[in-house]
Amino acid sequence: MEQFYCLSVVLNILAGLILVYGMDLTKKNTELDVADNTQDTEDFSKDESQRKLIPGIRLPKNLSGLNSKGLRLVAGIATAGIGLIKFFCSYRSIPVLGDLIPSIVGMAGGVSILIEYYAANVTDEDFELSDNLQAIFIIPRKYIGVACLAAALLHFLFPRAIFL
């Protein structure tokens, strides 16, 4: 279905941008409350290496929208859900294999965003993510984000290719 194809591409792009350029909410030492947008937007770009992740491309200083907890919750649920749906319903191709890479990457990106959201909003002070979850979804979050962006671009350019 064309609707799920479009949602898969758009949500993989959104998840990729959040994971690559958004703040890591699992770090407890951040003093920035991302739900409060009253702070100056210059605070989001204090770390200059965060803005130059891709050589030659500088991001705008105001990326506070990617750090919104509400956006992350909605994007995480939607990306993981559409990834799961796309795993079984492909766009004019072989079921399961037709959209394998975008669906798996979408599910991984959505789960990574949801784990970050949960870790940032848990009220238990003794809560700590397991080492397995951190090793799979949190530590390589930028790689998952780049995979989401690459899968979305390839999926957009080659809609009927097997595995894409």
Side-chain angles (χ1 to χ4, degrees):
M1 292 182 32
E2 290 83 7
Q3 298 89 349
F4 289 120
Y5 175 79
C6 179
L7 280 173
S8 174
V9 170
V10 170
L11 289 173
N12 276 342
I13 289 172
L14 181 62
L17 290 175
I18 288 172
L19 290 172
V20 172
Y21 297 116
M23 289 176 21
D24 186 359
L25 298 181
T26 59
K27 295 181 180 175
K28 299 293 183 185
N29 59 359
T30 58
E31 299 173 4
L32 179 64
D33 184 13
V34 293
D36 182 21
N37 290 331
T38 59
Q39 292 186 352
D40 189 19
T41 57
E42 297 292 324
D43 291 342
F44 289 103
S45 63
K46 282 184 179 177
D47 185 15
E48 196 63 29
S49 65
Q50 179 73 15
R51 292 185 61 224
K52 290 191 83 173
L53 294 174
I54 302 172
I57 298 176
R58 291 180 56 90
L59 294 174
K61 290 184 178 182
N62 188 3
L63 288 177
S64 61
L66 294 178
N67 296 322
S68 168
K69 289 182 182 179
L71 174 70
R72 285 178 183 235
L73 176 64
V74 171
I77 291 171
T79 305
I82 293 297
L84 184 64
I85 291 170
K86 289 290 285 179
F87 187 74
F88 295 109
C89 304
S90 65
Y91 177 68
R92 295 184 185 174
S93 186
I94 303 168
V96 178
L97 292 179
D99 293 330
L100 184 66
I101 293 173
S103 65
I104 289 176
V105 170
M107 286 187 284
V111 169
S112 179
I113 292 170
L114 288 174
I115 289 173
E116 278 188 17
Y117 177 82
Y118 179 75
N121 291 321
V122 70
T123 56
D124 186 14
E125 295 167 359
D126 296 331
F127 173 77
E128 188 172 322
L129 284 174
S130 70
D131 293 335
N132 292 335
L133 283 178
Q134 286 185 0
I136 295 171
F137 292 110
I138 302 302
I139 294 171
R141 68 189 293 272
K142 297 210 185 275
Y143 297 117
I144 294 172
V146 169
C148 285
L149 290 172
L153 178 67
L154 290 174
H155 195 49
F156 179 74
L157 293 177
F158 307 109
R160 293 187 183 155
I162 295 180
F163 300 116
L164 291 177

